Each structure stands twice: as structure tokens, then as C-alpha cells.
């Protein structure tokens, strides 16, 4: 049975998010609408989820992992530094009664070389690399490219597209912007004056034969 986009989104609305988001880790939830659009495109246009080994870097509470499994991933493994987020992820997976899902607590930036090419597909909504985490989005991307055999799908601020294209060229990586989305950032932290703010983001597919050095 094929899940329709709206159905996927409504199921993902039941996934619990961060209870106390941590500013230093740039913990913004991936909204169900964005998660569903992202996964549906990866699944329907590129067939990179069904029966595939999928990694979710900086998985947080697991919305992308859970959505991947709903779309038929063979196995999805989420990686995150934050034990609190992974505890919520674990609860979410149990509530949906999902078994082919796993999570690993680790620093994504220092994942060992032995994870190289261990997954078909890597999906992620990385830290955007703002405030205290400058360059974190590119560090995540470099790790993801080393882990993926086929493709990496990642969300990046549209304003950084040229910078990312330059990196992709340097790394001999093919980069395609496959969707332009509006990311509704809820006011999860005290310094946010508005109740929510829209950011334009690109869903980018990276694929390559060659690895970044």
C-alpha cells in the first residue's frame, strides 16, 4: 500500500518533538509538512528509501527516520549527540511499533571512517551553521558524503546555495536543488521576538563517485 503525501504528513504530526530544545545544538524541529515533502520527493522521484539502508544525521526526535520507515526503508539508523532527544525518538519509535529503526548516540562530526559507504542513502536536516556552530552544516555534509553509497539529501538555507555549490564543485560532487521550501521556524527560544519566522530552504540531492578528502 502506497502512502499518500497527506497521509504521511498526518502520521508525522503524531511524532513528539523536543521538550527543552538546546540552543547550542541548534535544535529546531523538522516540521511534519517539511519532513513529509522531503521524504516523499526522495521516495517518489529517486526511489532512494524503499528497501534501502538509510542514515539520519542529527536525527533529533526522529521524524525523518520514522517517516523513512513508514515509506518502506529496509533499516533506518539515526545519529545524534543528545541523549534527551534520542529518548524521545525511542518513545516515538515504540509508539508507532517500528522495529527496523535504530539510534546511535554520538558526535556526528567525528563518526569513524569505518562508517564509510555503509548506507545507501543519508538524509538530514543539519544545523544551519549559525551562531555558535559556524560551518557545522558543511561538516555534516562531508560526513554524510562519506557514509552514502548513492545519495545524500539535505536541507540548507537558500541564501547559502552559492557557497554550497562551490564546496560541491571542490569535492567533485553533483549537486541538484530538488525542492525549494519555506521552513517555518517556531519561536522555540527566548531571543525570538516573533512567534515564528519563515526561512527559505533548499532540499538538495548530492551524489558522487568521488569523496571529499
Amino acid at each position: 500500500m502506497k502512502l499518500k503525501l497527506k497521509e504521511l504528513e498526518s502520521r508525522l504530526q503524531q511524532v513528539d518533538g523536543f521538550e527543552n530544545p538546546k540552543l547550542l545544538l541548534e535544535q529546531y524541529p523538522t516540521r511534519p509538512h517539511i519532513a513529509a515533502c522531503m521524504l516523499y520527493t526522495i521516495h517518489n522521484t529517486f526511489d532512494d528509501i524503499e528497501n534501502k539502508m538509510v542514515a539520519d544525521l542529527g536525527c533529533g526526535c526522529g521524524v525523518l527516520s520514522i517517516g523513512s520507515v513508514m515509506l518502506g526503508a529496509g533499516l533506518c539508523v539515526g545519529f545524534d549527540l543528545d541523549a534527551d532527544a534520542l529518548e524521545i525518538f525511542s518513545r516515538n519509535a515504540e509508539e508507532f511499533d517500528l522495529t527496523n529503526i535504530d539510534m546511535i548516540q554520538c558526535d556526528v562530526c567525528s563518526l569513524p571512517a569505518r562508517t564509510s559507504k555503509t548506507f545507501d542513502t543519508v538524509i538530514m536536516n543539519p544545523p544551519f551553521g549559525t551562531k555558535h556552530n559556524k560551518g557545522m552544516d558543511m561538516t555534516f555534509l562531508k560526513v554524510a558524503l562519506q557514509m552514502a553509497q548513492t545519495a545524500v539529501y539535505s536541507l540548507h538555507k537558500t541564501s547559502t546555495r552559492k557557497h554550497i555549490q562551490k564546496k560541491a564543485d571542490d569535492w567533485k560532487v553533483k549537486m541538484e536543488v530538488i525542492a525549494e521550501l519555506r521552513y517555518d521556524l517556531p519561536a522555540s527560544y527566548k531571543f525570538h521576538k516573533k512567534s515564528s519566522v519563515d526561512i527559505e530552504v533548499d532540499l538538495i540531492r548530492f551524489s558522487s563517485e568521488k569523496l571529499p578528502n
Side-chain angles (χ1 to χ4, degrees):
M1 183 200 84
K2 280 225 156 188
L3 262 190
K4 291 199 163 62
L5 177 61
K6 278 275 174 245
E7 203 176 328
L8 178 63
E9 185 178 336
S10 80
R11 287 192 191 184
L12 293 181
Q13 276 163 353
Q14 297 159 41
V15 175
D16 291 336
F18 298 107
E19 283 163 5
N20 298 296
K22 297 180 175 67
L23 177 60
L24 280 172
L25 298 178
E26 283 194 63
Q27 288 182 334
Y28 299 108
T30 308
R31 298 294 222 185
H33 175 66
I34 292 256
C37 287
M38 184 176 175
L39 295 169
Y40 203 72
T41 304
I42 296 168
H43 177 57
N44 275 358
T45 309
F46 298 96
D47 193 24
D48 277 337
I49 291 182
E50 195 171 358
N51 300 321
K52 301 286 195 280
M53 288 273 290
V54 179
D56 177 5
L57 300 189
C59 60
C61 301
V63 67
L64 291 175
S65 293
I66 287 166
S68 295
V69 171
M70 287 174 177
L71 290 171
L75 174 69
C76 190
V77 183
F79 297 83
D80 205 286
L81 186 60
D82 184 29
D84 295 335
L86 290 177
E87 197 173 308
I88 298 169
F89 183 172
S90 181
R91 273 206 317 264
N92 282 328
E94 276 173 31
E95 275 168 30
F96 282 101
D97 209 13
L98 303 173
T99 50
N100 50 338
I101 200 163
D102 209 346
M103 54 216 72
I104 295 173
Q105 186 185 359
C106 65
D107 180 353
V108 167
C109 302
S110 54
L111 275 169
R114 68 170 180 271
T115 59
S116 178
K117 301 295 173 210
T118 41
F119 292 89
D120 299 302
T121 307
V122 177
I123 53 174
M124 59 180 189
N125 178 10
F128 287 141
T130 49
K131 298 227 179 294
H132 316 277
N133 288 332
K134 209 153 177 49
M136 189 65 86
D137 50 345
M138 291 295 101
T139 306
F140 265 63
L141 181 56
K142 198 167 186 178
V143 171
L145 286 164
Q146 287 166 347
M147 291 171 77
Q149 286 188 37
T150 306
V152 173
Y153 295 89
S154 187
L155 291 175
H156 296 273
K157 283 201 291 198
T158 304
S159 59
T160 62
R161 189 187 295 175
K162 277 189 176 149
H163 169 65
I164 295 169
Q165 184 67 67
K166 187 178 174 309
K167 280 282 191 207
D169 293 344
D170 289 350
W171 292 343
K172 310 279 189 288
V173 170
K174 183 181 174 198
M175 168 181 156
E176 295 167 85
V177 177
I178 56 176
E180 292 180 24
L181 303 161
R182 294 195 77 79
Y183 196 114
D184 166 33
L185 273 191
S188 16
Y189 301 107
K190 288 191 178 67
F191 64 81
H192 287 157
K193 294 183 176 64
K194 298 176 183 166
S195 61
S196 76
V197 55
D198 266 1
I199 298 181
E200 291 181 352
V201 294
D202 293 341
L203 170 57
I204 304 180
R205 182 182 200 262
F206 299 92
S207 53
S208 84
E209 298 309 309
K210 295 178 183 171
L211 285 177
N213 297 321

